[in-house]
Amino acid sequence: MGVKRHLFQYLIATIAVLMITGVAAAQQSASRLPDFVVPLHYQLDFTIIPDAETFTGTALIDVRLEKPVKTIALHGRGLSVSEASIVMADGKVVPASYLEDTDQGKALLEAATVLDPGVITLRFDYSGEIATSLVGLYRSQDGSRSYAYTQMQPIRARRVFPGFDEPRFKTPFDISIEHKSEHIAVSNGPEKSSAATNDGLVRTRFATTKPLPTYLVAMAVGEFDVVEWEPLPPTEIRNRAIPLRGIAPKGEGGKLRYALENTRAMFEILENWFEIPYPYAKLDLVAAHSLNAWGMENAGAIFYRADRLLLPDPPSVFATRDYASLHAHELAHSWFGNFVTPIWWDEIWLNESFATWMADKTLTLWQPSQYPSHNAVKSAGWAMWNDRLAGARAVRRPVLTDGDIAHAFDSTSYTKGGGVLTMIEGFMGKASFRQAIQKHLLAHPHGVASTEELLEALSSVAGQPDLIRATRSFLDQPGVPFVEATLDCTPGQPVNVEIKQSRFLPLGSTGDADKQWLIPVCLAYGKPDGSRAEQCQLLPQTKAASILLNTDQCPAWLLPNGGGAAYMVYDLDGSGWDFLTANFDRLTIAEQISTATSINAAFLAGRIDTARLLQLVELLGKSPEWDVSRTIMQMLRTLKFGVVPEKYRSNVEKAARSALAAHRAQFDLEPESFGINIEDPVRAKQRADLFWFLALDAGDVELHKNLAEAGRKYTGYDSFRGMDYDQLHPDLVWVGLIAALEETGPKFAEHLIELLAKGFDRPLHNSFLGALGNSTDPVIVGRVREHMLDPDTPTEDVLALFRRQTRRSDNAQSTLKWITEHYDQLLDILPASQHPWLAWRVARSCDLEARDRIKSFFEPRVAKLAGAPRALKNVLENVSLCVALKEAQRPGVIAAFGE
């Protein structure tokens, strides 16, 4: 009874306002543990047999008590503690009792007597579940072999050991794992020793780690291929070599070559940029077929989803790009997040935004032709799509519940935060920004930091106190600034730009447009002599302002976002757009891409009509720069699938083919060319992007027919010879299979389902899934859903098919019907981590009746799922915005595309 009383008091004291039992997951408190118990060191000893139901562990945690206590609050979830005790500094053992609140993930350790201040050791002997839901310590099945991996982020370490599962608590860890002799064990530190035990197992001990938060603790156990690679040699920055290894499931070590041979270059770029030595003793790249993310930055042992790391020979251009961007992101975390850790979950953007931004920086320095610097501008444009929602969250927002923690890891933290950093760097200059980041990291080695500390570093180096206020205006409120700029060249008056500022809201939005930002921006304009000038300053955080230009001559054109780096969209008056587009070739690629983002935003907001949009689409499509031309794809998909009546879709396709005709003419469209490798990765990607859009979205009949022919031959359809890999280069496999499925119909779908069962490598397996999931043929869609519900279909395949199929707006109506009819069955099939996001699978709906059905069905079902109510709110808003856009722009669309 005493323990229960103290638990209740603790929950009240930490603002856990719900009762101990029957707690709704969406409302679970994310309150912080008290400050008067400070963890200093962990010793964790495990026995892990991957195909067993449970694991066992012993945890010894050194802590410092700042005041006398009898009850210690910590974290634990689903752990069966057989014995708990406290070892005093003099060796005396004090008995203790352990009690969990499983729903909350919190626990109490109550000592038999009051404990005096000082250093003590908490001891726990316990067991826990080896999960199947890809969280905590979980099992991954690969054929007949079982593997065990950990996924601790964000708050899953408490499922694996009792402890202080908050990012602000960083300590060294000593870890050992007892395992089968034929298994390999991997953890954060290098292997220190390995010896047989009395029970026929082997105990592997690892070197003490640098201070880590609990979410970065990593373990993997199984029959691995271990590829020892050449160590990363000492450099001017680092005076020691770093052991480098690749870890893959048995038989797949050979596929690690591409990942390992390209690691050193990216690694050294990062180390040189920071001018801080890599903080850990070794670097393992670990491939897991089942991972609840693309990658996880565990210190010294980065985990990757296998298909991102294990690349076939030759890999597709998409596979190499996916690997490179992910690998650069996870490596960057060694400094952003691992070396210096956010103090709390509301600061997680310090992790993910910086790693996203730094990945783009690294790739540009590594291979500038393939990863140009304007990629960061493209990423910011993607973030604006979600940030348009009235329900969008701020980059930095208070985290009060476990659901808030889950939502902290979204596109806002990754790409919007990265876009804000791109803006700040563009305003400060690359050298000053780099200096500020180095200063910030070196101030907190192996420690924790806050946003305010970063802002102080930026401001002090820039010498601009207002930069703090400007950055806060982007971090602490959601949304995208919408800047209306009008050039005023009244004779006899100074040349100025009239600025109006509000929040960008698309048609039908219920959001508050009355928002302003302090925007670091460069106004670019054309001089009468044909040259250009830029004027950089902070746009006032007001509804309206007048900016005097440093010229006495009326500019030939005005660009409100010079350099394209500012996180904003803009609109011009009619003549402003005319003058800008007439001088479009004077803009940089980054500026042209950011202009395309603003054009799309203006259409979504009803600021420009379809006729103006099509003029700009034609302009963008004819750009010689593919990264500029490809911006029209999403605009035209929105028109075709979201606005235009179905009978006029062919006219949108015709406009798309016209806009991209010059790019189409650069490539051979005959089937014999589809298996040929293009050495230049930039042109290879352009071919793959272009063929996909033209064949599947733009109605290019000739290309579609030829790709379908190659797709059938590639898979051995109606052939006794089996697969013919010469028909399609890996870059074109997906589009070839989709075209073959669309042209051949249900029989080809059955053929692909049969191939899924034959055990091809994962990239090809994923291509079969991608083709099946892309179909909108009602017969094929129905057959694929039967396959998804088949008990023999692997969970990973179900997820892949589900995601692909529900991205197609033409499937929206049947998807809603199918999910509502099979909801409980889907909950049984899908991992628990996917349950809160089921409502997103119907977000492509575009009518009010569907919105009402979604609301009535999901609202009572998601109330108890952490993060799900907010997700549902955004889904409903997406549907409403689609309806509003269709209704408002359809008259103009029909005028442009109708008969």
Side-chain angles (χ1 to χ4, degrees), residues 65-338:
L65 302 182
E66 305 285 358
K67 67 178 186 178
V69 297
K70 189 180 183 196
T71 303
I72 295 173
L74 67 165
H75 292 108
R77 186 166 188 174
L79 304 176
S80 298
V81 175
S82 57
E83 186 175 352
S85 59
I86 299 168
V87 182
M88 306 304 293
D90 60 3
K92 179 184 176 183
V93 177
V94 177
S97 58
Y98 173 89
L99 178 67
E100 279 187 13
D101 172 13
T102 301
D103 287 333
Q104 289 278 327
K106 296 186 173 75
L108 286 179
L109 183 69
E110 181 160 303
T113 62
V114 173
L115 307 170
D116 293 328
V119 176
I120 61 174
T121 300
L122 315 181
R123 179 185 175 104
F124 306 89
D125 294 307
Y126 66 99
S127 62
E129 177 191 12
I130 299 181
T132 57
S133 57
L134 310 185
V135 296
L137 178 65
Y138 67 91
R139 181 183 306 104
S140 174
Q141 205 68 30
D142 184 29
S144 61
R145 294 187 178 93
S146 296
Y147 295 85
Y149 301 95
T150 54
Q151 174 59 37
M152 307 295 203
Q153 194 182 53
I155 53 172
R156 278 83 177 247
R158 62 193 65 178
R159 297 171 180 262
V160 185
F161 54 90
F164 300 81
D165 196 14
E166 294 182 9
R168 64 188 169 119
F169 294 124
K170 295 182 73 173
T171 76
F173 284 79
D174 278 295
I175 297 172
S176 76
I177 303 174
E178 190 176 29
H179 54 86
K180 290 182 178 179
S181 58
E182 64 269 27
H183 287 177
I184 301 292
V186 178
S187 189
N188 304 92
E191 182 179 316
K192 187 167 67 173
S193 66
S194 185
T197 62
N198 294 332
D199 51 5
L201 301 176
V202 170
R203 178 157 299 275
T204 299
R205 297 188 181 277
F206 302 93
T208 306
T209 72
K210 293 292 185 181
L212 300 176
T214 50
Y215 79 81
L216 288 177
V217 171
M219 295 181 289
V221 178
E223 282 191 76
F224 290 114
D225 284 349
V226 178
V227 180
E228 301 277 356
W229 204 253
E230 181 180 352
L232 301 167
T235 66
E236 292 182 2
I237 306 295
R238 172 178 32 82
N239 61 9
R240 59 189 173 89
I242 303 296
L244 173 63
R245 301 189 303 176
I247 315 290
K250 187 75 172 178
E252 299 194 79
K255 298 177 184 176
L256 286 162
R257 170 169 290 276
Y258 187 90
L260 289 166
E261 68 186 5
N262 285 288
T263 292
R264 177 179 171 181
M266 284 189 268
F267 183 94
E268 291 182 352
I269 286 169
L270 283 160
E271 201 168 47
N272 290 334
W273 193 91
F274 291 115
E275 296 184 350
I276 298 172
Y278 173 70
Y280 305 106
K282 52 98 173 173
L283 178 59
D284 287 341
L285 312 182
V286 183
H289 281 304
S290 299
L291 189 67
N292 196 26
W294 286 346
M296 178 59 212
E297 65 268 19
N298 307 308
I302 305 175
F303 286 11
Y304 295 87
R305 202 173 75 181
D307 60 351
R308 301 287 176 174
L309 195 67
L310 306 178
L311 304 188
D313 187 18
S316 73
V317 68
F318 297 109
T320 58
R321 290 175 70 89
D322 286 346
Y323 151 78
S325 60
L326 176 62
H327 195 34
H329 179 102
E330 303 304 342
L331 286 174
H333 272 308
S334 298
W335 292 267
F336 284 126
N338 298 8

Side-chain angles (χ1 to χ4, degrees), residues 21-99:
T21 59
V23 180
Q27 298 175 318
Q28 289 172 6
S29 168
S31 54
R32 306 186 190 201
L33 294 174
D35 293 330
F36 52 78
V37 181
V38 182
L40 304 175
H41 175 268
Y42 289 77
Q43 179 180 320
L44 304 175
D45 300 308
F46 297 95
T47 298
I48 301 174
I49 310 299
D51 53 8
E53 295 297 318
T54 59
F55 67 94
T56 60
T58 297
L60 300 173
I61 312 173
D62 297 335
V63 303
R64 184 177 66 250
L65 302 182
E66 305 285 358
K67 67 178 186 178
V69 297
K70 189 180 183 196
T71 303
I72 295 173
L74 67 165
H75 292 108
R77 186 166 188 174
L79 304 176
S80 298
V81 175
S82 57
E83 186 175 352
S85 59
I86 299 168
V87 182
M88 306 304 293
D90 60 3
K92 179 184 176 183
V93 177
V94 177
S97 58
Y98 173 89
L99 178 67

Side-chain angles (χ1 to χ4, degrees), residues 11 14-31 77 101-106 155 158 399-407 836 859-870:
L11 293 175
T14 55
I15 324 176
V17 297
L18 300 171
M19 297 303 293
I20 294 175
T21 59
V23 180
Q27 298 175 318
Q28 289 172 6
S29 168
S31 54
R77 186 166 188 174
D101 172 13
T102 301
D103 287 333
Q104 289 278 327
K106 296 186 173 75
I155 53 172
R158 62 193 65 178
V399 167
L400 304 176
T401 70
D402 288 351
D404 292 335
I405 295 175
H407 272 290
E859 201 165 54
R861 289 169 172 80
V862 303
K864 296 182 180 181
L865 295 174
R870 183 171 173 273

Side-chain angles (χ1 to χ4, degrees), residues 428-502:
M428 287 181 62
K430 293 181 180 180
S432 293
F433 186 79
R434 180 185 180 193
Q435 180 186 348
I437 297 304
Q438 291 173 349
K439 177 180 179 180
H440 172 70
L441 293 178
L442 288 171
H444 308 280
H446 294 293
V448 297
S450 68
T451 296
E452 295 306 317
E453 290 165 316
L454 171 70
L455 296 183
E456 287 292 339
L458 292 171
S459 176
S460 65
V461 172
Q464 296 193 53
D466 279 348
L467 194 59
I468 293 178
R469 190 161 60 91
T471 308
R472 282 179 183 153
S473 74
F474 282 87
L475 296 179
D476 295 341
Q477 64 179 343
V480 184
F482 186 66
V483 174
E484 301 173 63
T486 304
L487 191 60
D488 183 1
C489 294
T490 302
Q493 299 293 324
V495 178
N496 69 84
V497 180
E498 298 297 332
I499 298 290
K500 293 181 181 179
Q501 191 186 148
S502 60

Side-chain angles (χ1 to χ4, degrees), residues 772 775-786 805 811 814:
L772 288 165
S775 179
T776 58
D777 180 321
V779 176
I780 296 175
V781 168
R783 177 66 184 93
V784 170
R785 288 172 179 166
E786 288 179 11
Q805 198 177 75
N811 289 336
S814 66

